């Protein structure tokens, strides 16, 4: 992706980031940094093991727990959502096919088509018909609410009772 494409992705996806913040004002500064970085890059920002120390976390497992507590999808899914949203935005503005966008980004088109299907549950042609706003709504739904505030804690479980042998 060249510099002009990166700027177009960042500008095009800025409203998505604002929408995420509006629907999730409870996101911490660190989780906002992850969301912004992923959307600014239009996808991957590195492996969870590489990203964790930049957030003051020890490893990828701590990052996974952090994102889950914040109500966000795992890092690889966030990256996939950012890619799909960037492709949708570019496709709506340029009319380019996903195949052409994939070649322009030096990615395998088949992988891009599978990513769209895995993340959204729809093939690319159906996604194009639904439009970018529908994809944004689906992404926001995936972000849900913070696990800490989503629901009151459940009652503690009683310890299992020993089984009687006959």
């Amino acid at each position: 992706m060249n510099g002009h494409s990166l700027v177009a992705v960042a500008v095009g996806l800025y409203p998505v980031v604002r929408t995420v913040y509006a629907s999730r004002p409870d996101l911490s500064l660190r989780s906002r940094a992850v969301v912004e970085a992923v959307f600014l890059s239009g996808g991957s920002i590195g492996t969870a093991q590489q990203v964790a120390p930049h957030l003051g976390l020890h490893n990828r497992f701590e990052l996974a727990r952090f994102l889950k507590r914040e109500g966000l999808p795992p890092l690889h899914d966030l990256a996939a959502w950012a890619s799909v949203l960037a492709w949708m935005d570019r496709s709506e503005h340029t009319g380019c096919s996903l195949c052409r966008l994939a070649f322009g980004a030096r990615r395998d088109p088949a992988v891009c088509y599978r990513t769209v299907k895995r993340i959204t549950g729809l093939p690319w042609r159906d996604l194009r018909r639904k439009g970018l706003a529908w994809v944004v709504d689906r992404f926001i739904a995936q972000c849900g609410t913070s696990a800490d505030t989503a629901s009151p804690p459940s009652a503690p479980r009683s310890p299992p009772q020993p089984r009687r042998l006959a």
Side-chain angles (χ1 to χ4, degrees):
M1 191 177 286
N2 64 30
H4 295 284
S5 296
L6 188 58
V7 170
V9 166
V11 170
L13 294 181
Y14 183 69
V16 175
V17 174
R18 280 197 334 236
T19 303
V20 170
Y21 293 166
S23 68
R24 291 292 314 281
D26 61 318
L27 286 177
S28 70
L29 185 60
R30 288 193 301 179
S31 60
R32 286 173 182 251
V34 172
V35 169
E36 283 184 22
V38 167
F39 278 92
L40 183 62
S41 72
S44 180
I45 57 173
T47 66
Q49 192 64 43
Q50 294 167 329
V51 172
H54 294 286
L55 296 170
L57 304 170
H58 294 100
N59 55 44
R60 63 191 174 107
F61 304 107
E62 209 173 315
L63 176 59
R65 287 190 300 270
F66 167 71
L67 291 173
K68 187 173 186 171
R69 264 193 321 272
E70 291 284 319
L72 295 172
L75 186 62
H76 66 277
D77 284 346
L78 271 176
W81 273 107
S83 295
V84 170
L85 285 159
W87 298 330
M88 281 294 295
D89 182 63
R90 297 294 297 155
S91 181
E92 285 190 359
H93 285 88
T94 64
C96 286
S97 67
L98 181 56
C99 185
R100 185 174 186 106
L101 293 172
F103 282 136
R106 298 177 187 219
R107 297 183 71 175
D108 181 356
V111 171
C112 296
Y113 282 103
R114 286 193 302 268
T115 299
V116 167
K117 176 78 172 168
R118 177 178 63 85
I119 289 297
T120 66
L122 294 174
W124 176 252
R125 72 177 175 282
D126 294 347
L127 199 64
R128 285 290 316 270
R129 284 189 208 116
K130 297 243 182 215
L132 181 61
W134 185 87
V135 181
V136 170
D137 289 343
R138 287 288 302 252
F139 173 67
I140 297 298
Q142 285 290 309
C143 291
T145 58
S146 172
D148 292 338
T149 61
S151 61
S154 58
R157 291 183 176 172
S158 59
Q161 298 298 320
R163 292 176 39 185
R164 292 183 184 238
L165 298 174

